[in-house]
């Protein structure tokens, strides 16, 4: 049998996809009237047709130019997402309204502490009633129905309102308070509003479960109804076959349901570089397609039938999982690959990838800027353009050489080195025949050789994926997955066992639970191997390598290295090695290269980071030292696993290019100040932790244990301390050094400090209230900039303090639409009467102040 042709050849559609992508970027960042782009498309197309036969090379360049301007035209003609233009936001003012809607996404239960249960679901409104009027409005909402256990006055037992799970298509009526989704307004922050808009969600709402009324009738698509029923049935079957811990992982890995996955589990998978295993992705489609294709081919079914069945099964799997564009992109690429294979065009795989990408970009140009699309496309491109050419020269000739080992005629079509390999195997088998018999040795050696070759291929592909994806992983997720290679070498093969056996177990579970036990046991063993590897490697300190947003030079080098590696993958071995070396150098630069913070030298910078209802202040000293005062956090009564330090503070610091902090400061041990600090210690490894009052508390004790484990020095700061640091003078004004003189209110024991640079200074008050402010005012701490205490509460920023400080600027760190009514009107009035220019994070987002020794310059951080 002749050896297959190597992949490669021409890839015009791949280059067309790159040109179209470049046009999308140009159209987004260099806007021109659409008519200009339309005329350019027509001109390029006309010249391409004219030179097609006269100068083919020139026609090709002009054709790429046409694709470029077509991409620019496509992004400018694409209408913006209209999820927020539906009229719903006029009711999103926190006032109660009555909503009639139907469920578009099944509800999921979430335990919010020991006394509250919430059901989160998506609905599409039909009517909204408020103020005596009812309007017919079609809009997507994400609502939370909650029920609380309330102690009965007459009984010791607690009673709870029943919480019914609502399903797709059911119609509901309920009173709710709506609010618009809000982003944390810091550069580098996750665009939560756009994320919801992409899912058709215009507003958020909450209501008591007992007030929800189920209406008669059904509204929705029958296809989607059947999909949700099948999806729900599969989840129920999974939970009947595996214990809860394993079932939660099978839900996520096989069917795309992550409702039962905890935060710690997600973090372990992220740290070990195996998060793609935890979510349904293109790899799931690939594994299932391979198993289906291989099994059907064992029955000698024709290629056409096998390919059609494989595609249909992949489409059905994508339909049932319903995890969005990533799974459908993988299904599209699988369809194109199998179609190319039927047309004997396997060697044009890069062309098929380009066709898939081009189709997706034409359908929605904005997908280009999504991390999911970029990672998926880059992963496939790395395998097809780099890994496959390398394997075609190294392992695959020997893999083909393991066929028909007892046939000498097959060796005519093989390379001499492969033929010699076969002869060596037969010789060794002949020596073993005296011990193992005639039939076993050759098969045993062939099996061992196939295992070693398959392991080598996994190693090569995993290594390429780690170095090739280092740049987007650092840019989007700020992670350098240093243990990703050994983790994937173990986890990927186990996933190859898990996927087919889990699917088989679920299928048999509908027929006979007894028959399903065997594949369920095999899947469970594979799952234990995966989770054990992830916990072991993800728990290593070295696995927690976080990196700031790469500089432009790093991004450019990474992109050039990737392009060179792809172009050289089919050249001489020395050139191939050079291209791979560039990729490795780029990944190494990203992982361990020094960060270059974006700082303004020679000035004192104070930035109030928008962390909602909390405090987080970045201080950059004139000599470049960086300090973080508090790290935000959520109050315990919210029972949320959202980590402000990880998801809000850290992204801003990474966006600034900051990889290390010199010190962190905890003003006092309240959750809205200390809650995010543990993540900051982990991500930025500060040298010192400054504390004022060390009154025992659960949060503070936990933070001190974390600091001790990471070798962070704990420094006590009390009133009366003065010291120089980074060209500035620090003066601590509170808390009192004598425990007997401390305030009975915890807020009044906040650390208060004044930082002076030249003739300018800033006063940071934490949550100090009236009693502490009177003591501080007696010190006459004049300052140009005041960080208003306690988010602008009525008991702070007293007139005596303002008279003593005489600030020209003030900043209030406060959450939008907070339940405390901060900042209070009387506080804002006192600041205005004193002539203070006041900034607020709820209105202005992150705000930066530069103190140069003679003047103070405010700047919205988004305008940096």
């Amino acid at each position: 049998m002749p050896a297959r042709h190597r992949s490669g050849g021409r890839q015009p559609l791949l280059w067309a996809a790159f040109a179209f992508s470049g046009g999308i970027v140009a159209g987004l960042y260099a806007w021109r009237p659409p008519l200009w782009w339309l005329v350019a498309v027509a001109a390029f197309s006309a010249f391409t047709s004219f030179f097609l036969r006269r100068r083919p090379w020139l026609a090709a360049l002009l054709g790429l130019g046409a694709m470029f301007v077509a991409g620019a035209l496509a992004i400018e003609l694409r209408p913006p997402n209209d999820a927020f233009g539906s009229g719903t936001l006029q009711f999103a003012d926190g006032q109660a309204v009555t909503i009639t809607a139907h469920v578009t996404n099944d509800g999921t239960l979430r335990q919010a502490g020991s006394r509250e249960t919430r059901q989160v679901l998506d609905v599409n409104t039909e009517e909204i009633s408020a103020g005596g009027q009812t309007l017919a409005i079609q809009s997507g909402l994400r609502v939370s129905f909650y029920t609380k256990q309330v102690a009965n006055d007459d009984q010791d037992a607690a009673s709870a309102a029943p919480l019914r799970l609502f399903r797709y298509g059911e119609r509901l009526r309920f009173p709710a308070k709506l609010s618009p989704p809000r982003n944390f307004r810091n550069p580098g922050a996750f665009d939560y509003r756009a994320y919801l808009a992409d899912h058709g969600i215009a507003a958020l709402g909450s209501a008591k479960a007992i007030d929800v009324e189920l209406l008669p009738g059904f509204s929705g698509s029958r296809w989607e109804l059947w999909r949700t029923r099948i999806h729900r049935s599969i989840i129920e079957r999974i939970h009947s076959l595996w214990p809860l811990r394993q079932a939660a992982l099978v839900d996520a890995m096989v069917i795309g349901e992550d409702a039962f996955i905890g935060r710690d589990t997600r973090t372990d998978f992220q740290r070990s570089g195996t998060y793609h295993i935890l979510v349904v992705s293109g790899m799931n489609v690939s594994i299932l397609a391979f198993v289906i294709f291989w099994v059907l081919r064992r029955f000698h079914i024709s290629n056409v039938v096998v390919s059609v069945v494989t595609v249909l099964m992949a489409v059905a799997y994508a339909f049932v999982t319903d995890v969005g564009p990533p799974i459908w992109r993988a299904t599209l690429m699988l369809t194109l690959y199998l179609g190319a294979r039927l047309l004997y065009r396997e060697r044009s795989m890069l062309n098929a990838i380009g066709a898939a990408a081009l189709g997706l970009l034409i359908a929605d140009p904005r997908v280009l800027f999504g991390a999911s699309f970029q990672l998926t496309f880059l992963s496939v491109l790395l395998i097809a353009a780099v890994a496959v050419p390398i394997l075609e020269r190294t392992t695959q000739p020997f893999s083909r050489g393991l066929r028909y080992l007892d046939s000498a005629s097959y060796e005519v079509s093989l390379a001499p080195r492969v033929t010699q390999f076969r002869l060596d195997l037969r010789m060794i088998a002949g020596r073993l025949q005296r011990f193992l018999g005639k039939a076993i040795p050759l098969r045993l050696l062939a099996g061992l050789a196939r295992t070693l070759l398959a392991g080598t291929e996994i190693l090569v592909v995993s290594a390429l994926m780690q170095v090739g994806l280092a740049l987007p992983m650092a840019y989007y997720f700020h992670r350098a997955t240093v243990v990703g290679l050994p983790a994937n070498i173990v986890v990927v093969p186990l996933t190859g066992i898990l996927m087919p056996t889990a699917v088989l177990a679920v299928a048999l579970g509908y027929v006979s639970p007894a028959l399903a036990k065997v594949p369920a046991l095999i899947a469970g063993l594979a799952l234990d191997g995966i989770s054990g590897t992830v916990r072991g490697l993800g728990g290593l300190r070295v696995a927690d390598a976080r990196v700031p947003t790469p500089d432009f030079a790093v991004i450019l080098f990474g992109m050039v290295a990737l392009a060179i590696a792809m172009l050289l993958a089919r050249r001489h071995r020395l050139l191939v090695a050079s291209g791979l070396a560039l990729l490795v150098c780029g990944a190494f630069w990203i992982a361990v290269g020094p960060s270059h913070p974006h700082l303004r030298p020679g000035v004192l910078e104070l930035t109030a980071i928008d962390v909602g209802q909390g405090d987080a202040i970045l201080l950059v000293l004139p000599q470049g030292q960086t300090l973080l005062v508090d790290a935000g956090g959520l109050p315990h009564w919210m029972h949320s696993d959202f980590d402000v330090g990880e998801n809000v503070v850290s992204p801003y610091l990474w966006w600034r290019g900051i990889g290390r902090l010199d010190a962190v400061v905890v003003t006092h041990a309240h959750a809205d100040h200390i809650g995010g600090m543990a993540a900051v210690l982990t991500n930025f490894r500060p040298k010192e932790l400054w504390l004022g009052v060390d009154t025992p508390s659960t949060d503070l004790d936990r933070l001190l244990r974390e600091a001790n484990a990471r070798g962070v020095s704990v420094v006590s700061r009390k009133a009366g301390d003065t010291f120089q640091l980074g060209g500035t003078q620090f003066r601590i004004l509170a808390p009192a050094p004598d425990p007997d003189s401390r305030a009975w209110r915890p807020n009044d024991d906040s650390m208060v400090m004044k930082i002076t640079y030249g003739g300018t200074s800033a006063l940071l008050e934490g949550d100090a209230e009236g009693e502490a402010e009177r003591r501080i005012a007696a010190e006459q701490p004049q300052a140009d900039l005041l960080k208003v205490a306690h988010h602008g509460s009525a008991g702070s920023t007293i007139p005596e303090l303002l008279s003593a400080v005489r600030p020209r600027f003030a900043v209030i760190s406060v959450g939008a639409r907070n339940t405390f009514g901060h900042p209070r009107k009387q506080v804002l009035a006192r600041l205005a009467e004193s002539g203070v220019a006041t900034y607020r994070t709820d209105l202005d987002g992150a705000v930066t102040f530069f103190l140069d020794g003679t003047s103070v310059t405010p700047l919205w951080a988004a305008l940096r």
Side-chain angles (χ1 to χ4, degrees):
M1 296 178 62
R4 294 185 179 181
H5 295 290
R6 287 183 176 177
S7 62
R10 301 173 59 191
Q11 317 78 49
L13 291 179
L14 180 64
W15 297 114
F18 282 133
F20 195 82
S21 300
I24 292 174
V25 175
L28 185 66
Y29 294 105
W31 185 89
R32 295 293 184 275
L35 183 60
W36 290 22
W37 297 117
L38 185 61
V39 171
V41 169
F44 272 104
S45 300
F47 283 114
T48 300
S49 301
F50 179 78
F51 287 106
L52 189 59
R53 294 186 179 274
R54 296 172 176 82
R55 297 286 189 275
W57 62 269
L58 181 57
L61 292 177
L62 291 170
L64 293 178
M67 295 303 300
F68 180 89
V69 292
L73 178 64
I75 189 66
E76 290 197 1
L77 293 180
R78 182 75 180 182
N81 195 313
D82 195 37
F84 292 89
S86 57
T88 307
L89 292 182
Q90 63 180 304
F91 299 102
D93 55 2
Q95 301 299 316
V97 297
T98 301
I99 297 171
T100 302
H102 57 269
V103 180
T104 57
N105 194 19
D106 284 3
T108 57
L109 291 180
R110 298 178 183 175
Q111 195 67 30
S114 59
R115 301 185 63 183
E116 181 174 310
T117 303
R118 287 181 175 268
Q119 178 181 181
V120 179
L121 69 161
D122 295 343
V123 301
N124 195 66
T125 62
E126 299 172 5
E127 294 179 347
I128 298 180
S129 300
Q133 63 174 342
T134 299
L135 300 179
I137 295 177
Q138 299 287 326
S139 176
L141 299 180
R142 179 158 293 174
V143 295
S144 176
F145 299 145
Y146 61 91
T147 180
K148 292 186 178 180
Q149 292 180 332
V150 181
N152 194 310
D153 294 335
D154 301 325
Q155 301 177 3
D156 293 334
S159 60
L163 189 57
R164 179 189 185 278
L165 274 174
F166 296 106
R167 303 302 187 187
Y168 176 83
E170 291 182 333
R171 300 180 66 245
L172 311 174
R173 181 182 293 122
F174 54 90
K177 294 181 179 180
L178 301 182
S179 61
R182 181 182 182 273
N183 295 334
F184 290 97
R185 299 172 63 187
N186 308 307
F190 174 64
D191 193 347
Y192 180 58
R193 187 175 184 269
Y195 167 79
L196 291 179
D198 288 340
H199 289 75
I201 305 299
L204 307 173
S206 62
K208 294 181 180 179
I210 199 171
D211 295 332
V212 180
E213 177 186 0
L214 181 63
L215 302 178
F218 169 84
S219 181
S221 164
R222 293 292 175 180
W223 281 103
E224 180 64 12
L225 176 64
W226 279 103
R227 189 205 67 78
T228 56
R229 288 180 176 176
I230 294 171
H231 186 91
R232 189 163 59 247
S233 174
I234 292 174
I235 291 175
E236 292 171 356
R237 192 65 54 187
I238 288 172
H239 283 255
S240 69
L241 291 172
W242 288 277
L244 180 60
R245 179 183 61 82
Q246 290 186 332
L249 292 173
V250 175
D251 284 342
M253 296 179 185
V254 176
I255 201 66
E257 178 58 64
D258 61 354
F260 305 99
I261 298 295
R263 180 182 182 85
D264 292 341
T265 300
R266 294 178 190 273
T267 301
D268 284 341
F269 275 87
Q270 290 170 346
R271 293 177 61 174
S272 62
T274 57
Y275 191 70
H276 59 99
I277 303 293
L278 187 62
V279 296
V280 170
S281 63
M283 190 180 72
N284 303 67
V285 176
S286 302
I287 292 173
L288 288 179
F290 171 78
V291 172
I292 295 169
F293 193 93
W294 184 85
V295 170
L296 293 179
R297 288 295 292 152
R298 298 309 97 190
F299 292 97
H300 303 288
I301 302 174
S302 70
N303 269 335
V304 174
V305 175
V306 171
S307 299
V308 171
V309 171
T310 302
V311 169
L312 291 177
M313 294 296 290
V315 170
Y317 179 69
F319 175 72
V320 171
T321 55
D322 190 39
V323 295
I327 200 76
W328 287 109
R329 282 197 291 267
T331 305
L332 173 62
M333 291 182 180
L334 171 69
T335 304
L336 289 173
Y337 170 75
L338 292 178
R341 187 178 184 276
L342 289 177
L343 298 174
Y344 304 99
R345 302 285 294 176
E346 283 184 282
R347 63 195 303 266
S348 300
M349 191 58 210
L350 288 175
N351 209 41
I353 294 173
L358 189 59
L360 292 168
L361 292 171
I362 292 173
D364 184 5
R366 292 175 303 188
V367 76
L368 175 66
F369 304 100
S372 175
F373 172 82
Q374 294 177 19
L375 288 168
T376 301
F377 181 71
L378 184 57
S379 299
V380 176
L381 201 58
L382 278 168
I383 294 174
V386 182
V388 169
I390 292 174
L391 296 177
E392 284 177 342
R393 295 181 176 187
T394 54
T395 62
Q396 289 187 6
F398 293 97
S399 296
R400 289 194 292 270
L402 291 173
R403 303 172 185 171
Y404 316 110
L405 278 174
D406 53 355
S407 172
S409 61
Y410 179 66
E411 295 168 358
V412 176
S413 62
L414 300 177
R417 56 179 181 145
V418 179
T419 301
Q420 184 61 51
F421 173 65
R422 290 165 58 89
L423 293 174
D424 291 340
L425 288 179
R426 285 203 291 265
M427 180 188 68
I428 297 172
R431 299 290 177 87
L432 294 175
Q433 284 180 3
R434 68 180 67 179
F435 306 106
L436 302 176
K438 187 176 182 180
I440 296 178
L442 195 58
R443 294 180 180 177
L444 178 62
L445 289 174
L448 290 175
R450 288 190 180 95
T451 301
L452 289 174
L453 290 171
T456 302
E457 292 181 354
I458 291 174
L459 178 62
V460 170
V461 172
S462 297
L464 275 174
M465 296 294 280
Q466 297 307 310
V467 298
L469 296 178
L471 179 59
M473 290 296 294
Y475 186 86
Y476 288 110
F477 307 111
H478 304 287
R479 289 190 179 273
T481 52
V482 295
V483 299
L485 179 57
N488 280 282
I489 290 174
V490 177
V491 167
V492 170
L494 289 176
T495 305
I497 298 173
L498 169 68
M499 283 296 299
T501 53
V503 171
L504 179 61
V506 172
L508 290 177
Y510 286 97
V511 179
S512 170
L515 292 176
K517 289 183 178 180
V518 174
L521 176 62
I522 297 173
L525 293 174
L527 195 61
D528 288 339
I530 292 172
S531 57
T533 301
V534 167
R535 283 197 304 270
L537 293 177
L540 297 175
R541 181 66 59 85
V542 70
D544 205 19
R546 308 305 295 271
V547 293
T549 302
D551 294 331
F552 176 76
V554 179
I555 295 174
L556 183 61
F557 182 87
M559 295 175 66
V560 171
L562 184 60
I564 291 175
M566 291 180 179
L567 292 174
L568 298 181
R570 303 179 191 281
R571 306 297 180 184
H572 189 273
R573 293 181 179 180
L574 183 59
L575 294 177
V576 174
S578 301
L580 294 178
L582 282 176
L583 267 184
V584 172
C585 289
F588 185 79
W589 189 0
I590 291 170
V592 302
S595 60
H596 300 284
H598 310 308
L599 310 177
R600 185 179 294 188
V603 299
L604 170 64
E605 174 195 328
L606 183 150
T607 297
I609 304 172
D610 179 12
V611 291
Q613 186 69 10
D615 269 13
I617 307 292
L618 172 65
L619 291 176
V620 181
L621 306 187
Q623 296 177 2
Q625 291 89 340
T626 52
L627 295 82
L628 183 72
V629 182
D630 292 327
L634 297 178
H636 298 295
W637 54 263
M638 292 187 67
H639 304 293
S640 173
D641 61 356
F642 184 81
D643 191 330
V644 174
E646 171 69 26
N647 300 307
V648 181
V649 178
S650 293
Y652 174 73
L653 297 179
W654 284 321
W655 179 83
R656 293 288 302 272
I658 296 173
R660 293 290 299 269
L661 288 169
D662 292 284
V664 293
V665 183
V666 173
T667 58
H668 63 299
H670 280 177
D672 58 334
H673 293 249
I674 197 175
M677 192 60 78
V680 172
L681 293 183
T682 299
N683 295 336
F684 297 94
R685 308 179 300 284
K687 301 172 185 175
E688 295 181 345
L689 168 62
W690 298 359
L691 285 179
V693 175
D694 52 2
T695 304
S697 74
T698 302
D699 289 338
L700 183 58
D701 292 344
R702 187 184 303 114
L703 182 65
L704 290 176
R705 287 195 298 270
E706 183 73 19
N708 181 64
R710 298 191 174 277
V712 180
S713 300
V714 179
V715 180
S716 177
R717 301 292 188 189
K718 307 294 183 183
D721 292 350
T722 60
F723 54 93
Q724 298 278 342
L725 181 63
T728 61
Q729 173 78 25
F730 279 77
R731 178 185 174 193
I732 308 301
L733 300 173
D738 182 6
D740 295 334
S741 62
R742 291 178 185 168
W744 65 272
R745 295 175 64 90
N747 282 343
D748 278 327
D749 274 335
S750 293
M751 185 190 300
V752 178
M753 55 185 174
K754 178 181 177 181
I755 308 109
T756 302
Y757 175 56
T760 54
S761 58
L763 180 66
L764 279 62
E765 284 199 90
D767 274 359
E769 296 187 356
E771 179 183 340
E773 287 190 333
R774 290 185 184 91
R775 293 199 303 266
I776 295 168
E779 301 285 337
Q780 294 296 313
Q782 192 279 324
D784 300 281
L785 172 63
L786 172 68
K787 201 292 292 184
V788 173
H790 201 197
H791 324 293
S793 71
S796 300
T797 321
I798 59 176
E800 298 95 312
L801 180 81
L802 289 176
S803 298
V805 176
R806 301 191 303 279
R808 291 186 293 128
F809 299 94
V811 60
I812 306 175
S813 184
V814 63
R817 301 182 303 277
N818 64 85
T819 58
F820 307 99
H822 296 163
R824 294 289 187 175
K825 293 181 179 179
Q826 54 266 47
V827 172
L828 295 175
R830 287 199 290 265
L831 290 167
E833 291 170 1
S834 300
V836 181
T838 304
Y839 296 81
R840 299 165 46 173
T841 58
D842 61 333
L843 300 179
D844 305 313
V847 184
T848 298
F849 299 87
F850 296 105
L851 290 72
D852 62 6
T854 58
S855 62
V856 179
T857 304
L859 179 68
W860 285 281
L863 301 178
R864 294 182 64 90

